[in-house]
Amino acid sequence: PGLFPALRSLHYVAWTQGQLHTAQELAERLLTLAQTSTDAVSHLEAHLAMGTTLWYGGLLVPALQHLEQGLSARHSTQRSAVQRVPHPELGCLLYSALVLWYMGYPDQAQQRLQEGLDCAAQLAQPHHLVWAQHLGAMFYRLCRQLPQAQTLTEAVVQAASAQGMSFAVAGGQL
């Protein structure tokens, strides 16, 4: 029972360190395990892992396919029960917004980003909201929509400061 969480954690470490080959191998193992499970959250997490790994590797089409497959596995009744960071549904929403932007679909990307921001607000967990607002600010900078980016950046710094999230404060200030 501890294999999936262990692989998920190892994937996250490899992914954040830029070890994309290792991250992809771990994501493939997560997908294999998720296929043998009826747990929708496992499917979401496995597809998020693969989607983000492929996105970092510049493979946008398969990245979007995995993020969309993750979203197709979501259950609204399970949304608030998942407390992990990153939240798998929120991650699929936010990263698919970025992928859609890079693929040249700005309207779909903005719609997906708004879904992510709405999801984060519904989760009512400060770290989820700060993360969504931070990625939203990055997104709006890409779109050159500076007033929206500024609004979200200020929200990140304010919320992160209130929660003692110094790393997020620094990211917002940056």
Side-chain angles (χ1 to χ4, degrees):
L3 183 59
F4 193 92
L7 290 174
R8 180 183 62 231
S9 296
L10 289 171
H11 167 269
Y12 188 73
V13 169
W15 179 70
T16 58
Q17 291 181 348
Q19 299 172 2
L20 297 183
H21 181 72
T22 301
Q24 187 167 345
E25 288 176 353
L26 291 164
E28 287 168 1
R29 290 185 66 191
L30 287 169
L31 284 168
T32 299
L33 284 174
Q35 290 171 354
T36 64
S37 171
T38 59
D39 177 35
V41 176
S42 295
H43 289 269
L44 261 164
E45 290 181 319
H47 285 292
L48 174 62
M50 185 59 81
T52 55
T53 301
L54 294 170
W55 173 58
Y56 266 42
L59 302 169
L60 300 179
V61 172
L64 184 60
Q65 289 170 343
H66 279 283
L67 295 167
E68 295 286 342
Q69 285 177 335
L71 290 171
S72 71
R74 64 185 160 170
H75 284 276
S76 60
T77 57
Q78 292 179 327
R79 175 181 283 172
S80 60
V82 178
Q83 298 299 314
R84 287 187 282 285
V85 176
H87 187 280
E89 179 182 354
L90 183 56
C92 285
L93 288 168
L94 296 171
Y95 284 108
S96 64
L98 291 168
V99 172
L100 285 164
W101 169 259
Y102 283 116
M103 290 176 68
Y105 301 105
D107 294 337
Q108 291 175 7
Q110 278 195 289
Q111 181 180 357
R112 185 58 58 82
L113 175 67
Q114 190 57 54
E115 285 180 63
L117 292 169
D118 293 344
C119 175
Q122 291 171 9
L123 291 169
Q125 294 292 329
H127 52 277
H128 292 136
L129 186 57
V130 166
W131 180 48
Q133 291 171 331
H134 177 77
L135 287 179
M138 289 175 43
F139 175 86
Y140 283 122
R141 276 196 326 259
L142 287 171
C143 298
R144 297 182 186 203
Q145 295 179 8
L146 299 184
Q148 293 91 328
Q150 183 67 31
T151 299
L152 286 175
T153 298
E154 290 169 0
V156 166
V157 171
Q158 181 180 9
S161 295
Q163 296 296 320
M165 303 165 80
S166 57
F167 184 74
V169 171
Q173 290 171 337
L174 179 65

